[in-house]
Amino acid sequence: MNLEILTPEKKLFSADVYGVQLPGVDGLFEVLDRHAPLVSALKAGQVKVLKDKSNHLAFFTIQSGFVEVIHNKVTVLVEGAVPVEGRS
């Protein structure tokens, strides 16, 4: 599935991934390949990107925003986000 992390200033991340873990307002949740359509509010926290089935990971600290899942594409729209260096 395709994942994009967007802020008002720029596209921070865009790639095909295995899954993504997101900080929803009611708790963490995970979206995997072929997930049902979904729109959810996000709170500030950490996004964990599962780049593939071999546990290659990327992390981002985000501010609040929204996520949309449709047609195997995940779009994360947030006020701000930065990559977390040194974690994998």
Side-chain angles (χ1 to χ4, degrees), residues 48-77:
K48 179 167 75 172
V49 179
L50 308 157
K51 292 183 176 182
D52 55 39
K53 292 181 182 180
S54 300
N55 287 327
H56 292 106
L57 306 173
F59 294 88
F60 296 87
T61 299
I62 64 164
Q63 296 175 14
S64 62
F66 294 91
V67 61
E68 176 190 56
V69 180
I70 191 164
H71 302 303
N72 218 33
K73 180 174 182 175
V74 180
T75 306
V76 177
L77 305 165

Side-chain angles (χ1 to χ4, degrees), residues 1 3-5 13 15-22 30-31 46-52 55-60 76 87-88:
M1 71 180 181
L3 169 66
E4 286 191 337
I5 300 175
F13 183 88
D16 288 334
V17 300
Y18 176 66
V20 61
Q21 187 179 75
L22 300 152
E30 193 165 83
V31 176
Q46 191 166 82
V47 171
K48 179 167 75 172
V49 179
L50 308 157
K51 292 183 176 182
D52 55 39
N55 287 327
H56 292 106
L57 306 173
F59 294 88
F60 296 87
V76 177
R87 288 196 67 182
S88 57

Side-chain angles (χ1 to χ4, degrees), residues 4 9 79:
E4 286 191 337
E9 293 81 33
E79 292 292 321

Side-chain angles (χ1 to χ4, degrees), residues 30-44:
E30 193 165 83
V31 176
L32 297 174
D33 197 36
R34 302 188 201 316
H35 197 284
L38 163 79
V39 173
S40 179
L42 301 174
K43 66 180 181 181

